[in-house]
Amino acid sequence: MSGSRKALRTVEYIVCIFLVLLSIIPFWIMIVNSTRSTTEIQQHAVSLIPSGYLMNNVKILLGKSFNPMVGFMNSLIMSGGATLCAVYFSTMTAYGLVVYRWKARQAYFTAVMAVMMIPGQITMIGFYQMLYRLHLTNRLSMLILPAIASPAMIFFMRQYMIPALSLEIVQSARIDGAGEFRIFNTIALPIMKPALATQAIFSFVSQWNRLFEPLVLLTDKKKYTMPIMVSLLRGDIYKTEYGSVYMGLTLTVLPLLVVYFLLSKYIIAGVALGSVKG
């Protein structure tokens, strides 16, 4: 039995190592390509050994009106604001669906789920026309405020809150004289930390990678986000510098990795909590 367990554990380690390498290799290839020239990339698309064209790619990147600081700040403002709005107000909506008893609760939840079936591209034309008539284009706030309505996040928070939040605790807080907002902020939100961290990561990544909506609403170069700037790097009709494109992609991915490493411990804590409850 001990021999079979060791063999099984060895197989598990091999599979885990393979999956880790499979996850890391695309990022490593992207970083390596940011140090290579366009000719090297075209001749040998895949290489695991860095080259010596890093500074040359940086010069080409900055020479294409690419301002990484402006792109970082705009993307950070848009992604951070949209993530905070989506996570907080979606959790508040889920709290109302779980804690309060009202006649149209199930119908409201069904309507929220029905909205999930509608692609965002369908409503983008009407949304743009409304903002254009109100002279609200070229504003990052118009990319942040719509994130308040996030049906998928409401569904996730509701499903997580049903077994995690005890209604007896809410009733006890009310008896002690606590207001509804205080109960939500001091009792419900701390209980939802693992779910909040998980959705914050997913929301931040999706918001950071948004290209279609910012490309439609933003025409001022000072308001461009990182994905827009990277997409414009391939707009040269004479020659596309793939090394600089990979450099821009690398700069775009770095904040996502930082956010993940900062919040990943909450996801692990949530998984451990669920296993203990089970």
Side-chain angles (χ1 to χ4, degrees):
M1 291 296 293
S2 60
S4 61
R5 289 180 180 178
K6 290 181 179 180
L8 180 60
R9 183 169 298 180
T10 302
V11 173
E12 291 175 352
Y13 286 153
I14 293 174
V15 172
C16 289
I17 293 172
F18 174 75
L19 293 177
V20 169
L21 293 176
L22 197 63
S23 302
I24 293 177
I25 284 178
F27 293 99
W28 179 249
I29 293 176
M30 179 183 64
I31 296 173
V32 168
N33 283 341
S34 67
T35 67
R36 303 169 69 202
S37 66
T38 301
T39 304
E40 290 178 340
I41 294 175
Q42 290 176 337
Q43 292 179 351
H44 305 284
V46 178
S47 176
L48 300 178
I49 302 175
S51 185
Y53 288 87
L54 177 63
M55 296 309 300
N56 186 49
N57 289 333
V58 172
K59 291 179 181 179
I60 295 174
L61 186 66
L62 298 179
K64 289 180 174 289
S65 300
F66 185 90
N67 194 330
M69 290 306 299
V70 173
F72 270 124
M73 288 304 300
N74 291 336
S75 291
L76 186 62
I77 292 172
M78 184 194 70
S79 303
T83 298
L84 289 176
C85 289
V87 170
Y88 184 80
F89 288 102
S90 296
T91 307
M92 183 180 292
T93 304
Y95 178 83
L97 290 171
V98 173
V99 173
Y100 301 127
R101 305 295 180 185
W102 40 293
K103 291 183 179 180
R105 182 178 65 166
Q106 188 59 40
Y108 178 82
F109 179 68
T110 303
V112 171
M113 293 298 98
V115 174
M116 293 176 58
M117 307 299 175
I118 304 175
Q121 291 80 359
I122 294 178
T123 60
M124 189 62 204
I125 297 176
F127 183 64
Y128 174 78
Q129 290 177 343
M130 180 187 69
L131 296 183
Y132 182 78
R133 292 174 182 175
L134 296 175
H135 304 287
L136 293 177
T137 57
N138 281 319
R139 294 174 184 263
L140 293 176
S141 58
M142 293 300 100
L143 294 169
I144 296 175
L145 294 179
I148 293 175
S150 180
M153 194 176 298
I154 292 172
F155 173 77
F156 180 89
M157 293 299 183
R158 177 184 177 273
Q159 297 304 112
Y160 187 94
M161 191 178 294
I162 289 175
L165 180 63
S166 174
L167 297 181
E168 286 77 11
I169 297 177
V170 177
Q171 293 293 343
S172 300
R174 289 173 179 170
I175 294 174
D176 292 339
E180 295 300 323
F181 278 101
R182 185 178 178 183
I183 295 173
F184 173 72
N185 291 320
T186 60
I187 296 178
L189 285 183
I191 292 176
M192 298 288 291
K193 270 186 179 180
L196 293 174
T198 303
Q199 289 301 308
I201 292 175
F202 294 151
S203 177
F204 188 87
V205 171
S206 63
Q207 294 295 333
W208 186 275
N209 292 329
R210 285 174 72 183
L211 177 61
F212 178 68
E213 293 88 351
L215 198 59
V216 172
L217 296 179
L218 304 177
T219 57
D220 186 359
K221 292 183 178 180
K222 295 181 180 180
K223 300 294 179 66
Y224 280 176
T225 59
M226 286 292 288
I228 294 179
M229 291 185 176
V230 173
S231 67
L232 295 178
L233 291 176
R234 300 190 62 179
D236 194 338
I237 61 175
Y238 299 105
K239 182 181 180 181
T240 299
E241 295 288 348
Y242 290 103
S244 63
V245 172
Y246 278 106
M247 174 60 67
L249 292 174
T250 302
L251 293 176
T252 304
V253 169
L254 287 178
L256 302 180
L257 297 178
V258 172
V259 170
Y260 173 78
F261 286 121
L262 289 177
L263 298 180
S264 60
K265 62 179 181 180
Y266 294 107
I267 298 179
I268 297 173
V271 174
L273 180 62
S275 62
V276 171
K277 286 183 178 180

